[in-house]
Amino acid sequence: MLLYLVLTFLVAFMVFLGELSIGKITQKDAVNAFSDLAKSNKKAWGFAGFFMIGAILIVCFYSVVIGWILKYIYSSFFALPNSVSEAGDLFGNLLTKDLLSQIICFSIVFFMIFWVVSKGIKSGIEKMNVWMMPSLFILLILMLLYSFTFDGFVKAFSFLFKPDFSVLFVEDKLNIKLILDALGLSFFSLSMGVCVVLTYAASLPENINVIKSTLSIIFINILVGIMMGLIVFTFVFEYGANASEQGPGLIFVSLMSLFSNLGIIGNILAIAFFIALLFAGLTSAVSMIEPFAFYLINKFGISRKLALIYIGIFVYIMGIFCILGFNNEYSSIFTFFDKSIFDILDYLTSNILMPLSAIITCIFVGFFVEVNKLKTLFIPYMGEFGFKIWLLFIRFICPIVILIIMLENLGLTKYLKSMFF
């Protein structure tokens, strides 16, 4: 949590403003924005905009996860698993055997996402967020208030907010994976490194306070994460589950088995919790489709619906491949280098494309964009001194920090050390 907060404000916040500036100044799609804003090598810099493909790759496997959530909303109306082992068997069966349920739920999610994006930013994405985001907050607040009544809430609060600096080191070495996880979470939750911020910045009103807006986005993001964490770990500690469990194992196994301890209230709570997750997932997914759709519309002069058909065919096929990669009958066909397509897409986007895109964005904004254009955008809201600090971070500190973490995670720093030392 502490690493996440530090990296969010010292790295992600700075890079977020950099990506935002590209879209806000040009008001164009990612490829044309990089190309038009570059002082030199305009055509070459245009290729940087194609990192938006990372967003499409994320949607391919992310919509599969949202499909799981949809399945669990349905399941929560009926019987809940009575033990962790039973919950584990149910989730395992869903992934490895129940191919039909996965495909149906993924298909429903897929059509929901693309239907919303087909309506455009104002009529589709914005309207969905207008009612989904308040609904998400209401559900989280109600669940958080209910969690106050449990003894596990105090333990959950301590677990999340009491620092444990020992986890920063593994065998007397800095835990780079932990740092990259925190940085990846920060980037992923803010939809950075895949040109989403750039694309939506192109639609911002003329006189908007970009600093205030960015801080609002970050604080809301952090607030939702903290609320969700407190709710989840309250029940984890209340019923003695494994607090070190992560990802799907925590949500779809441990938590589901804990809800059953509450009787009918557990069913209601499970439904509310997974609906909140569904809302959070859908609002993120629709945002990631828009950058590439915006580019196709501008580049080839095609309709929004036709652009979404092209994108949709790719996303749907890859999503089905992700599902088949878990299934017992087909997993061997869709496994490469001992990794499923789901895991490959996850690793490629989180560990390579997003941090690499952030580094290129920093270099581009810091050295290849006219400083006067950046001053005009930022100085009215952060002042001359604040602008100099931000420029220092975007030029040197942020790209170096991200590069070191990225290379260490990929295991490449040992080769660099052997070359230079």
Side-chain angles (χ1 to χ4, degrees):
M1 179 68 78
L2 187 59
L3 271 176
Y4 167 70
L5 293 175
V6 169
L7 290 171
T8 295
F9 285 103
L10 291 185
V11 179
F13 172 65
M14 304 296 183
V15 181
F16 190 101
L17 289 178
E19 189 173 330
L20 180 147
S21 69
I22 300 172
K24 182 70 174 69
I25 293 171
T26 62
Q27 297 186 330
K28 294 185 176 182
D29 62 83
V31 174
N32 286 309
F34 273 98
S35 181
D36 288 3
L37 205 53
K39 292 186 291 186
S40 60
N41 299 317
K42 289 181 176 292
K43 189 174 181 180
W45 276 113
F47 288 105
F50 283 105
F51 275 103
M52 61 186 165
I53 293 173
I56 302 299
L57 297 179
I58 290 172
V59 173
C60 294
F61 68 86
Y62 195 50
S63 51
V64 172
V65 177
I66 302 173
W68 300 343
I69 295 169
L70 191 63
K71 168 67 174 177
Y72 271 70
I73 292 173
Y74 172 78
S75 300
S76 298
F77 278 97
F78 306 103
L80 296 176
N82 294 315
S83 65
V84 172
S85 60
E86 185 181 341
D89 290 340
L90 287 173
F91 185 60
N93 287 335
L94 174 64
L95 266 60
T96 61
K97 297 178 182 178
D98 195 354
L99 188 60
L100 181 62
S101 291
Q102 278 207 83
I103 291 176
I104 290 174
C105 291
F106 164 71
S107 299
I108 293 171
V109 169
F110 170 85
F111 285 111
M112 288 173 68
I113 292 169
F114 278 82
W115 180 80
V116 170
V117 181
S118 71
K119 300 297 181 180
I121 293 178
K122 294 291 182 182
S123 301
I125 298 170
E126 188 175 294
K127 277 190 176 180
M128 186 189 77
N129 284 323
V130 161
W131 70 268
M132 264 199 183
M133 293 310 294
S135 301
L136 170 62
F137 268 97
I138 291 169
L139 286 170
L140 289 178
I141 289 170
L142 290 174
M143 286 188 286
L144 187 63
L145 290 174
Y146 183 68
S147 69
F148 287 167
T149 63
F150 291 88
D151 295 334
F153 179 81
V154 176
K155 294 179 181 178
F157 190 89
S158 176
F159 178 74
L160 287 177
F161 294 106
K162 184 179 178 181
D164 179 9
F165 294 104
S166 64
V167 298
L168 281 173
F169 299 91
V170 177
E171 297 178 354
D172 297 325
K173 292 182 179 180
L174 193 63
N175 190 345
I176 293 295
K177 185 182 182 304
L178 182 70
I179 299 173
L180 188 75
D181 285 345
L183 185 66
L185 174 62
S186 181
F187 278 21
F188 194 91
S189 62
L190 292 171
S191 297
M192 287 171 52
V194 287
C195 300
V196 170
V197 176
L198 186 159
T199 302
Y200 286 108
S203 302
L204 289 175
E206 186 63 32
N207 297 317
I208 191 170
N209 186 327
V210 292
I211 305 300
K212 184 178 178 181
S213 297
T214 300
L215 287 173
S216 297
I217 291 168
I218 290 174
F219 279 118
I220 290 171
N221 240 353
I222 292 171
L223 181 61
V224 169
I226 289 174
M227 291 169 70
M228 193 72 79
L230 286 171
I231 293 165
V232 169
F233 286 106
T234 291
F235 292 100
V236 167
F237 284 109
E238 181 70 20
Y239 295 105
N242 183 10
S244 63
E245 185 71 74
Q246 300 179 30
L250 178 64
I251 300 299
F252 297 107
V253 178
S254 296
L255 200 60
M256 277 298 287
S257 64
L258 302 182
F259 284 141
S260 65
N261 291 289
L262 300 170
I264 189 65
I265 295 177
N267 291 80
I268 296 170
L269 200 61
I271 293 166
F273 178 78
F274 284 109
I275 288 176
L277 279 185
L278 178 70
F279 287 176
L282 287 175
T283 52
S284 297
V286 296
S287 297
M288 293 184 178
I289 298 294
E290 183 61 25
F292 198 49
F294 190 40
Y295 167 72
L296 291 178
I297 293 166
N298 290 340
K299 175 66 176 178
F300 301 103
I302 60 177
S303 67
R304 172 172 286 271
K305 288 185 179 179
L306 186 58
L308 292 177
I309 288 172
Y310 292 146
I311 297 171
I313 291 171
F314 176 79
V315 170
Y316 193 80
I317 291 173
M318 291 301 293
I320 294 296
F321 286 172
C322 288
I323 292 171
L324 293 174
F326 289 119
N327 189 267
N328 285 340
E329 292 185 34
Y330 305 101
S331 60
S332 60
I333 302 173
F334 297 94
T335 299
F336 305 92
F337 309 108
D338 295 325
K339 284 184 176 290
S340 67
I341 291 180
F342 185 105
D343 292 330
I344 290 171
L345 294 178
D346 184 16
Y347 184 85
L348 179 64
T349 52
S350 300
N351 295 282
I352 298 175
L353 293 182
M354 294 177 81
L356 187 59
S357 175
I359 292 169
I360 290 175
T361 298
C362 290
I363 294 170
F364 176 73
V365 173
F367 297 101
F368 291 90
V369 175
E370 292 181 17
V371 176
N372 287 335
K373 290 183 178 180
L374 297 172
K375 284 183 176 180
T376 302
L377 178 62
F378 289 128
I379 284 182
Y381 308 111
M382 65 170 63
E384 187 79 35
F385 180 74
F387 177 78
K388 288 180 179 178
I389 295 297
W390 172 77
L391 197 60
L392 174 67
F393 269 82
I394 207 74
R395 281 180 171 175
F396 303 108
I397 298 175
C398 291
I400 290 172
V401 168
I402 297 170
L403 181 63
I404 291 172
I405 295 172
M406 179 184 173
L407 292 177
E408 182 69 30
N409 182 64
L410 295 173
L412 299 178
T413 51
K414 58 184 178 182
Y415 298 111
L416 293 177
K417 289 176 183 176
S418 64
M419 288 172 61
F420 296 104
F421 300 98

